[in-house]
Amino acid sequence: MKDNPAPHFPPNRDAALARLDAFAPKAGRDYAAGRNHDLPGHPHVSTLSPWIRHRALTEAEVAAATLDRFAASTAQKFLSEVLWRTYFKGYLERRPGLWSGYLHGLDAARNRLATESGLRARWEAACGGETGIDAYDHWAAELTGTGYLHNHARMWFASIWMHTLELPWELGADFFLRHLLDGDPASNTLSWRWVGGLHTRGKTYRARASNIGKYTGGRFDTEALGHRLATTAEPQDGPPPPDPIDMPEDANLPGGRIGLLLHEDDLHPDFLMARGLDPTGVAVLIAPAGRSPLAVSRQVHDFTRALAEDAATRLGATGPVTEDGAEIARWATGFDHVVTPYAPVGPARTALDALDVATIRPLRAWDAAAWPHATAGFFKLKGKMATILETILQDMGV
Ligand SMILES: Cc1cc2nc3c(=O)[nH]c(=O)nc-3n(C[C@H](O)[C@H](O)[C@H](O)COP(=O)(O)OP(=O)(O)OC[C@H]3O[C@@H](n4cnc5c(N)ncnc54)[C@H](O)[C@@H]3O)c2cc1C
């Protein structure tokens, strides 16, 4: 078994734009044909997620670059994968109780680790990549080593975690959030729920040795895998998703001296500048430690901070890039108003809400157009894709 060469994720927007430029020619039929293959170097997918997650590169920019080269029908598969992210963001935004429910479930699972030694040993082996299931152990090492995993590997990994190793799904979601550079409250929580049969109720995802063999280029011993992997995948326990809450409202830009406060969920405030924002000062609030009650990996901390510093430099920020709310509160005293891009459910929003500063939070056209349709299954939103893309790209002048 060969190691995947580590994908390298330079923490700046220029690197994201360069990767988008290099990938765009492959976003049509090539992507549709190759995207399920998890191969060394990940040649068939964009590997853009660490930048998109922090909106150092926006979904609209990715869609525009794709549609610049391909008809929407040719790039339909790639565009709909980008829309999956938007769907999950909107779904969680309209059902914030799923995030707090996950955090409660994680607390309960961590309490079990303190009292159940067998469970703790299995969890430690799963996190350390020492289960003896070679494909799984490989992905665990790839995740902790590079901060990235291919989508198919994430699905197999989550399925093995729950259905073969029989570990609580919340501990697996937490392991991902501690190590993925793109660790995202919505995509991660809802994907783990999906594998566990909690998102599409009762419909679970089971990793099969033959499927792993087919899509990993013969790197693993599928016969041995076949003996180890669970042959059934029962849905996890959990209440049905709550009813959706109302859409968040957009906010108008105020007059006076404005401080622009960025955060780790939106580091490229093009939409605010397009609305005429001319900030007197810029600062960035980051909250990577809030992704888990356990220690978040050094590379997630470093990547998030460096990406935030890159945004601050681009915007000529004179304010701090910090995790310290008190520092932001001192900075904010220099302005009549503080404007920040709308922050969706998750640690950045929690950190903003905890600030001793009132903030005005305008919503992006992308989210405003898509989230009203993120209330049921993905296909409700996908059905609106053409209209959503048209509206947004017109807005961008594309
Ligand atoms: C258990 C599990 C956990 C996951 N956790 C996260 C997470 O924390 N953060 C995260 O960004 N994605 C998560 N995903 C979704 C998906 O695996 C990654 O977005 C994708 O693998 C990123 O690689 P890429 O940029 O090469 O994707 P590409 O295939 O090139 O897709 C382009 C972009 O579309 C979006 N996208 C693609 N597939 C999905 C998907 N299935 N769901 C949501 N968005 C998608 C991403 O922004 C991605 O960068 C998870 C999936 C699973 C099964």
Side-chain angles (χ1 to χ4, degrees):
M1 185 187 68
K2 284 184 241 104
D3 271 347
N4 278 347
H8 185 50
F9 298 102
N12 59 71
R13 177 170 155 80
D14 284 351
L17 290 170
R19 189 152 308 173
L20 174 60
D21 205 38
F23 174 75
K26 299 196 276 184
R29 294 208 172 84
D30 289 356
Y31 179 82
R35 59 179 282 271
N36 277 330
H37 293 266
D38 174 24
L39 299 175
H42 307 298
H44 300 300
V45 291
S46 72
T47 63
L48 285 170
S49 54
W51 295 285
I52 298 176
R53 181 262 179 257
H54 299 92
R55 276 191 167 155
L57 181 70
T58 67
E59 297 88 335
E61 289 176 307
V62 174
T66 306
L67 291 170
D68 212 25
R69 290 180 175 264
F70 296 107
S73 53
T74 313
Q76 199 255 1
K77 196 71 217 170
F78 181 66
L79 291 170
S80 63
E81 289 307 311
V82 175
L83 213 61
W84 265 103
R85 167 180 158 79
T86 304
Y87 165 70
F88 282 145
K89 294 304 285 181
Y91 193 93
L92 194 65
E93 204 52 34
R94 310 291 303 274
R95 293 174 171 83
L98 292 179
W99 174 246
S100 41
Y102 156 69
L103 293 174
H104 285 306
L106 180 56
D107 269 354
R110 288 182 58 227
N111 287 339
R112 284 184 58 200
L113 290 179
T115 53
E116 297 176 33
S117 57
L119 180 73
R120 186 173 184 94
R122 288 206 315 284
W123 171 72
E124 282 171 353
C127 295
E130 291 168 346
T131 64
I133 303 172
D134 70 344
Y136 174 94
D137 291 346
H138 171 84
W139 295 316
E142 185 183 357
L143 170 61
T144 53
T146 69
Y148 175 86
L149 274 188
H150 184 279
N151 181 60
H152 221 159
R154 296 182 201 210
M155 290 162 62
W156 295 318
F157 186 105
S159 176
I160 295 171
W161 182 284
M162 285 180 228
H163 305 309
T164 297
L165 302 173
E166 298 183 345
L167 287 162
W169 72 268
E170 294 93 338
L171 290 175
D174 173 68
F175 181 58
F176 268 25
L177 280 187
R178 284 187 282 128
H179 292 283
L180 282 171
L181 298 182
D182 66 27
D184 182 271
S187 290
N188 192 57
T189 311
L190 298 177
S191 296
W192 277 85
R193 286 177 58 89
W194 178 83
V195 173
L198 292 168
H199 189 72
T200 310
R201 299 292 297 174
K203 189 166 173 278
T204 55
Y205 176 76
R206 180 161 70 84
R208 288 176 163 79
S210 57
N211 184 257
I212 295 172
K214 178 172 172 190
Y215 289 109
T216 51
R219 286 181 293 151
F220 305 108
D221 178 348
T222 40
E223 199 184 327
L225 265 179
H227 293 301
R228 287 298 305 273
L229 300 190
T231 52
T232 57
E234 292 305 313
Q236 304 289 300
D237 282 338
D243 288 337
I245 61 167
D246 289 345
M247 271 290 289
E249 284 184 16
D250 195 2
N252 291 325
L253 292 180
R257 283 168 55 82
I258 309 288
L260 171 60
L261 178 60
L262 298 182
H263 52 75
E264 69 192 39
D265 285 358
D266 203 321
L267 292 171
H268 183 59
D270 53 348
F271 77 113
L272 294 175
M273 304 315 188
R275 288 190 197 182
L277 181 72
D278 183 14
T280 312
V282 179
V284 193
L285 179 65
I286 52 174
R291 294 183 198 182
S292 169
L294 296 173
V296 170
S297 77
R298 187 73 263 152
Q299 64 180 345
V300 168
H301 274 282
D302 290 349
F303 181 81
T304 310
R305 174 168 285 277
L307 211 53
E309 282 168 353
D310 176 63
T313 306
R314 254 189 347 265
L315 292 161
T318 46
V321 174
T322 182
E323 296 185 52
D324 181 355
E327 213 180 324
I328 295 293
R330 283 194 296 280
W331 165 81
T333 56
F335 310 101
D336 300 321
H337 300 283
V338 173
V339 170
T340 189
Y342 184 85
V345 169
R349 158 108 134 250
T350 304
L352 281 174
D353 289 348
L355 284 179
D356 205 6
V357 176
T359 51
I360 296 165
R361 305 182 187 184
L363 190 62
R364 276 183 184 272
W366 183 274
D367 299 334
W371 290 357
H373 310 293
T375 50
F378 172 67
F379 292 94
K380 182 176 170 203
L381 174 60
K382 196 179 167 201
K384 304 281 178 197
M385 179 154 82
T387 328
I388 293 170
L389 288 175
E390 205 175 305
T391 319
I392 292 160
L393 299 179
Q394 262 169 19
D395 247 28
M396 291 172 75
V398 175

